[in-house]
Amino acid sequence: MAMYFVPMLYIILSYLFKMISEKRSQCCYLLHYECHRATEDRKLDIDTCAQVVLRNKNLGLDEYRFMLQTIVNSGIGDETYGPSNVIQGRENITSMKDAFLELDDLVFNPLDELFAKMKVSPSDIDILVVNVSLCSPNPSITSRVINRYKMREDVKSYNLSGMGCSASLVAVDLVQQVFKSHKNKLALVVSTESLGQHWYCGKDRSMMLSNCLFRSGGCVILLTNNNALKHKAIMKLNCLVRTHLGSHDEAYNCCIQMEDDLGYQGFRLTKYLTKAAGKAFVMNLRVLVPKILPVTEIIRYAIVSYYNKRRGKVGVEGAGINMKTGVDHFCIHPGSRAVIEGVGKGLGLNEYDLEPAKMALHRFGNTSAGGLWYVLGYMEAKKMLKKGNKVLMISLGAGFKCNNCVWEVLKDLDDVNVWKDCIDRYPPKMVTNGYKDKYGWINDEQLSFVKLDE
């Protein structure tokens, strides 16, 4: 009997060891991230924004009023950054040279800082994922990064385009999938956006919105599945869920790159966007919630929902699911004040929970795919993130997509990162809007009878 038992025990133990080893190698650890911060000459302050708007001869008084109302309500401050060609007044005559100059600044500067801080050589990178939605040259931007840093010939490279504001979590998910079949690897994710070539110069209001909301920014992220580097990691990816509503025509068209009736290229945002975002978010949570919340909360929610439904009670306070039973911090895509407050209302969050997203939006604007990491940077700079905390990242983007994930904080974090020169000013004691203070006069009804010349 013993002669059969020992080999069987050996096989069972070997199988268990293999299963444990594979599971550990499939972990995704965040080692470091670096957000881009432009130079002062790229700042879109109030006067610079006014100059950009006035250069567009297609606009009239009604369009000026619309843009003022949009930017006042957006939650964006007057210290954000824009593309160099727009600052310099060349938004009508863009070139590939402008696009490359913009991308080189957005990509290479944070990469240089990451390599220096982490003491990692570009030749150590095994996996490279670059996502830029609106610029897809040939050779790819991924190839441009490999060429700049002379990376290895066997680096696994992926170039993503058209993924929109939720692209960075698409890239993280791609890395996580590659990790499942490749052990002990270092992965680099680059998430940014090209705005200079796509600045809208027409007068379609649904396309003018993008000029008001989007700003220059981006981030680079260093990930690994090497358990030997766990002591250097700051967070661990617990789960990630992706939802795509591209099969729905209205959702597909609510956030789309196109030309207007006059031939001006831009990005169109329709009124259906909020509905598409809400629908995608709810569908995503149905999959995500069972993975991150305790069973007791899910049972409580089911019982309360059933009880209220039977009695015809709708919108009863306390009836919603309590996300805070499994999540400590909420890293919401800083798309606009309406997006942040909409997510907050849906999840029953308070001002403390929304503060990081609102402050990132105010200071840096909507930086598209890189936006989440400015929000995370704010949390870290404010010393909100403690060991064991769970952080829910919520991203929404064109397609229409909702990609959410949960990170577990592995150590107390306090790096002031991209916020180092301004974190002490946030949150401001009193938020004033310089655009409204300086240009509010444009809403004077008497101006409707006056022609505004240059």
Side-chain angles (χ1 to χ4, degrees), residues 62 83 133 166 215 222 282 296 304 326 344 366-367 440:
D62 288 341
S133 291
S166 62
R215 297 292 184 266
L222 186 63
V282 170
T296 52
V304 172
N366 180 351
T367 53

Side-chain angles (χ1 to χ4, degrees), residues 210-226:
S210 61
N211 289 359
C212 298
L213 299 175
F214 289 102
R215 297 292 184 266
S216 292
C219 70
V220 294
I221 309 154
L222 186 63
L223 304 164
T224 187
N225 64 341
N226 188 343

Side-chain angles (χ1 to χ4, degrees), residues 243-245 275-285 396 400-402 404:
T243 303
H244 204 306
L245 298 184
K275 186 175 180 179
K279 187 174 182 179
F281 188 43
V282 170
M283 292 177 67
N284 189 282
L285 288 182
L396 303 160
F400 192 87
K401 298 183 289 295
C402 176
N404 301 334

